[in-house]
Amino acid sequence: MQVTTNGKKNKHFILNQKRLDKAKKILGTTTETETVETALERVITEAETNRKAWAAHDSFIKSMIEGGHKIEDVF
């Protein structure tokens, strides 16, 4: 497989064309490659955001417990 200088490799996928067209429209991209690249970037960004949010949540809960605060479920 040929690797270019920017770290990209040629890949060959069999994809559902309707899904690809729908993603292209949703993402506002013009090419199929741009669509896949944008979708991958969004997945990676969302995963990182979720990881940071859970870390902040866990830190908050830990600090509340260590500070002697009681956490109760009001439901």
Side-chain angles (χ1 to χ4, degrees):
M1 196 166 294
Q2 186 177 2
V3 180
T4 61
T5 57
N6 60 3
K8 294 183 178 183
K9 292 183 179 182
N10 288 324
K11 301 288 181 179
H12 300 277
F13 297 103
I14 298 172
L15 301 171
N16 181 307
Q17 190 63 48
K18 287 182 182 180
R19 283 184 176 178
L20 190 56
D21 291 341
K22 188 173 182 177
K24 193 170 157 183
K25 184 176 180 180
I26 290 168
L27 296 171
T29 53
T30 55
T31 67
E32 292 177 350
T33 299
E34 184 184 13
T35 302
V36 173
E37 288 283 341
T38 301
L40 288 171
E41 188 58 41
R42 287 195 182 184
V43 167
I44 292 165
T45 300
E46 183 176 345
E48 183 65 17
T49 300
N50 288 343
R51 186 193 65 74
K52 289 178 181 178
W54 277 110
H57 172 268
D58 292 343
S59 177
F60 172 74
I61 296 297
K62 183 179 177 183
S63 69
M64 292 294 288
I65 292 169
E66 288 175 352
H69 299 284
K70 186 176 179 183
I71 301 172
E72 11 180 318
D73 186 356
V74 296
F75 293 105

